[in-house]
Amino acid sequence: MRESEGVRRHRTDPDEVFQEMLQAARELLAVRTPLDAELMVSDMIGAWWGKRVKGGDVEQVLGEGLVDYAAKAGTPASLTLLICLAYLGTARQGAKAEGAALAMMESGVARPGWADRVGAVKPTGCFVSRDAYGDQDTVICTFGYRWTDPAAGGVTPDARNQDRHALVLVVDYNMSGMARDAWVSSQVDKLLEQARAEAAGNPMLLFEEIEPQQARALLDSAMRATREPKTPPPVSDSYSAFHAFARSRLKALPPGRKRPAPLYVEAPYSRERRAMLAAEFLASDAAEHLSDPSAASRCADHIIDYGCEHDFSRPMRISPTKCETFLLDWLPRKVMLSTAEQEAMPHVLSAWVRFAAGRTGLPEPGLRETLDAVWEATGKFPTAYRDPTSFGLDRPLLERLLPDGDLSALARRVFAFPFLQGVHGGVDLDGLDPADEGDRRTLLRIDHVGEIDEEHLAWHEEIAGRLWDGDPPQLWEAAQRLLDLGHDRHDVLHVLIEIVERIGGDPEELAAALDDIADIPDEF
């Protein structure tokens, strides 16, 4: 069902969207099973998943708005849609839809015979297919509908095996453990047989059954991770269509167990343990050919920190994708490397791959593929990693701006503190540290000499401190949008101050207000 494509275009009148969706809902009266209906409605409301609308949360503006619109329509199609939304919607949507549907049924509005079975499912098995790299889990949860058999004395799983189906979600650990793909298959036996066959005799794959409680914990965590990014997450084209269906099916799995740990997870690494691991690596046979021990040591620290902080405390996990992401994406964005470290890093990473493979028992084919990937990435690394000194910034200045080595902070910190060099009013700016509270105030006084009172200076300190820390990320994102429109830096800062001062300490409300800023209001 793709009648809801019009919803995917940005429309200004929600009633136009709702009218189109109710017209599409007429198809629900023609389907023969609750599974077909649930998938159709999941696809329909998936049209707005991950989108943003003016006036509030999209699930409230469009989701709850659709419930209200359908309740007013009072037709068999709108009742059928409400029955599905009572199961597939958010908690608020579901409660509203259920109440509206009950009222319509009491008034005599007709509904399909299968409507009572919407969402009446029972899990029949849960499985996970894992690659030996630990890159991703493919989780398969199978379900069967319940049905009422008077002879059996009540509601039972469908013994006739009708409408048995499998929900499949892919959890990507190179993307913060988010669910990045989802689909549904009615060929359950064929799907499971194929998964077992692919894993049989393949050292790079593992297929096993897991408890339903474990599957729920794993997938709840993965779907939360997919919701967290403020920008549209990198999911498959089909994910939005199955999101509501998957969210609702997970509620049929019993809660109460911890998620199965990703491969190679160990206890959290303290600073001391990280240092010990780096020392073990540097003393190993894998690292004996590294010619610059000092640079190799600092590179090893970055590799270990990346695995601990961005890969579920797994510094020993290696894979082609993880190594490429580390070398060509994370390092160029996040870490300021010296010239010696830039030259050493690809070689240290190759040595680390050999060291880690020996410790984790990665099969030989996986080791070869990972080393090949590092070799290919090595040729691209000099282009991917742009030394910030090549932009005309000298290293002492960079070290003042980036004492934490976080390259991603450079632009926002330069924006916050434009005067960092030279002499002004007898003050040697080169000797001031923008990370120090006293020096920071001096720098801001020079930036606003003769035009600012103490209270307003305090607010500039607040904004500068937030920009320095990147707290919240939406602050710098909003500033960039306004700068891209050609607005003056000081005007942008004053808009940010007004928002932070007005919102106060609620971080979620502040993030939402900053997200909504598209231009500077006329009064500024």
Side-chain angles (χ1 to χ4, degrees):
M1 170 181 170
R2 306 308 293 177
E3 296 294 333
S4 58
E5 283 297 332
V7 181
R8 304 179 200 284
R9 299 191 296 269
H10 297 288
R11 299 195 177 203
T12 57
D13 185 359
D15 283 353
E16 291 184 21
V17 175
F18 302 149
Q19 181 180 10
E20 182 179 317
M21 297 183 89
L22 277 190
Q23 291 175 348
R26 296 173 185 171
E27 295 183 18
L28 292 170
L29 302 176
V31 304
R32 305 181 66 177
T33 70
L35 177 61
D36 289 338
E38 291 167 25
L39 290 173
M40 289 173 67
V41 175
S42 180
D43 180 39
M44 181 186 296
I45 63 179
W48 64 63
W49 180 83
K51 302 293 192 298
R52 294 180 56 203
V53 296
K54 292 185 177 180
D57 177 73
V58 66
E59 294 291 356
Q60 181 178 357
V61 174
L62 293 181
E64 296 176 34
L66 175 61
V67 172
D68 294 336
Y69 193 90
K72 293 177 183 177
T75 64
S78 66
L79 172 58
T80 306
L81 177 59
L82 286 171
I83 291 171
C84 292
L85 288 174
Y87 171 66
L88 293 166
T90 64
R92 286 171 55 95
Q93 294 165 12
K96 293 186 68 172
E98 183 177 9
L102 288 173
M104 291 174 67
M105 287 187 284
E106 289 176 359
S107 68
V109 179
R111 65 187 187 277
W114 48 258
D116 291 339
R117 298 177 64 211
V118 169
V121 295
K122 179 178 180 178
T124 57
C126 296
F127 310 83
V128 61
S129 177
R130 294 177 147 179
D131 66 79
Y133 294 122
D135 279 337
Q136 69 179 31
D137 291 343
T138 300
V139 184
I140 304 172
C141 298
T142 64
F143 299 89
Y145 278 85
R146 303 170 184 266
W147 67 296
T148 301
D149 183 358
V155 178
T156 65
D158 193 339
R160 296 166 297 177
N161 206 32
Q162 292 182 351
D163 295 337
R164 188 175 174 224
H165 55 283
L167 169 67
V168 185
L169 285 101
V170 177
V171 181
D172 194 323
Y173 295 107
N174 289 313
M175 295 182 179
S176 304
M178 68 170 55
R180 66 168 179 82
D181 200 1
W183 68 91
V184 172
S185 173
S186 59
Q187 304 295 317
V188 176
D189 292 333
K190 182 178 180 181
L191 177 67
L192 294 176
E193 181 181 350
Q194 181 179 355
R196 291 190 182 97
E198 289 177 350
N202 185 346
M204 297 302 295
L205 282 178
L206 172 67
F207 182 77
E208 60 183 352
E209 187 169 6
I210 58 176
E211 296 180 7
Q213 296 96 324
Q214 291 180 305
R216 176 166 179 171
L218 192 161
L219 295 177
D220 276 343
S221 174
M223 293 188 75
R224 281 197 304 271
T226 307
R227 285 200 307 269
E228 286 176 1
K230 294 298 181 183
T231 56
V235 296
S236 69
D237 292 340
S238 66
Y239 183 83
S240 61
F242 292 102
H243 175 264
F245 183 90
R247 179 184 60 199
S248 298
R249 276 297 187 269
L250 294 192
K251 297 175 184 176
L253 299 175
R257 288 293 300 272
K258 290 184 178 180
R259 56 177 290 173
L263 292 179
Y264 311 121
V265 163
E266 301 182 48
Y269 278 74
S270 64
R271 279 293 160 193
E272 293 75 14
R273 191 179 177 199
R274 296 186 195 189
M276 185 179 298
L277 180 58
E280 291 175 9
F281 162 65
L282 294 170
S284 69
D285 292 342
E288 64 180 359
H289 68 285
L290 300 175
S291 58
D292 187 338
S294 178
S297 176
R298 293 191 295 271
C299 290
D301 289 341
H302 293 312
I303 294 171
I304 294 170
D305 287 345
Y306 177 72
C308 290
E309 297 167 12
H310 300 278
D311 189 26
F312 300 88
S313 192
R314 298 188 293 179
M316 302 300 293
R317 186 182 81 84
I318 56 170
S319 77
T321 301
K322 180 181 177 180
C323 290
E324 289 172 358
T325 301
F326 170 76
L327 199 60
L328 302 181
D329 179 60
W330 187 76
L331 275 176
R333 288 187 300 105
K334 297 294 292 182
V335 179
M336 184 172 66
L337 299 173
S338 68
T339 302
E341 291 163 2
Q342 293 173 47
E343 295 175 354
M345 181 59 79
H347 307 288
V348 176
L349 182 58
S350 294
W352 181 266
V353 166
R354 294 186 176 89
F355 171 73
R359 296 280 291 267
T360 62
L362 182 70
E364 183 64 26
L367 171 60
R368 291 198 302 269
E369 289 183 13
T370 305
L371 287 172
D372 287 345
V374 173
W375 176 255
E376 291 184 13
T378 296
K380 303 174 184 176
F381 181 63
T383 301
Y385 189 89
R386 297 292 303 277
D387 190 324
T389 58
S390 67
F391 302 140
L393 300 173
D394 59 45
R395 188 156 292 273
L397 175 59
L398 286 168
E399 289 173 351
R400 289 164 63 207
L401 285 167
L402 306 176
D404 51 4
D406 183 1
L407 266 179
S408 65
L410 180 59
R412 68 174 189 266
R413 290 176 182 176
V414 169
F415 173 75
F417 300 100
F419 296 105
L420 291 166
Q421 294 177 296
V423 177
H424 193 285
V427 178
D428 181 7
L429 301 186
D430 295 82
L432 297 179
D433 180 3
D436 176 81
E437 183 176 344
D439 287 357
R440 179 175 292 180
R441 176 166 278 245
T442 300
L443 289 167
L444 291 173
R445 283 186 183 280
I446 292 172
D447 187 20
H448 298 88
V449 62
E451 60 173 272
I452 199 165
D453 60 40
E454 290 299 316
E455 182 180 357
H456 198 58
L457 178 63
W459 277 111
H460 274 281
E461 281 191 84
E462 170 77 12
I463 295 300
R466 286 180 173 273
L467 287 167
W468 183 273
D469 296 331
D471 177 30
Q474 292 83 2
L475 190 72
W476 177 230
E477 293 168 4
Q480 290 177 92
R481 289 196 301 273
L482 298 178
L483 291 170
D484 288 344
L485 292 173
H487 292 297
D488 178 78
R489 171 179 171 272
H490 278 179
D491 289 342
V492 173
L493 285 170
H494 291 160
V495 169
L496 299 181
I497 288 172
E498 188 277 330
I499 294 172
V500 174
E501 185 176 8
R502 171 168 49 86
I503 298 299
D506 188 322
E508 292 188 3
E509 189 177 349
L510 176 59
L514 291 167
D515 273 338
D516 286 340
I517 290 295
D519 203 345
I520 291 182
D522 291 338
E523 57 266 30
F524 279 88

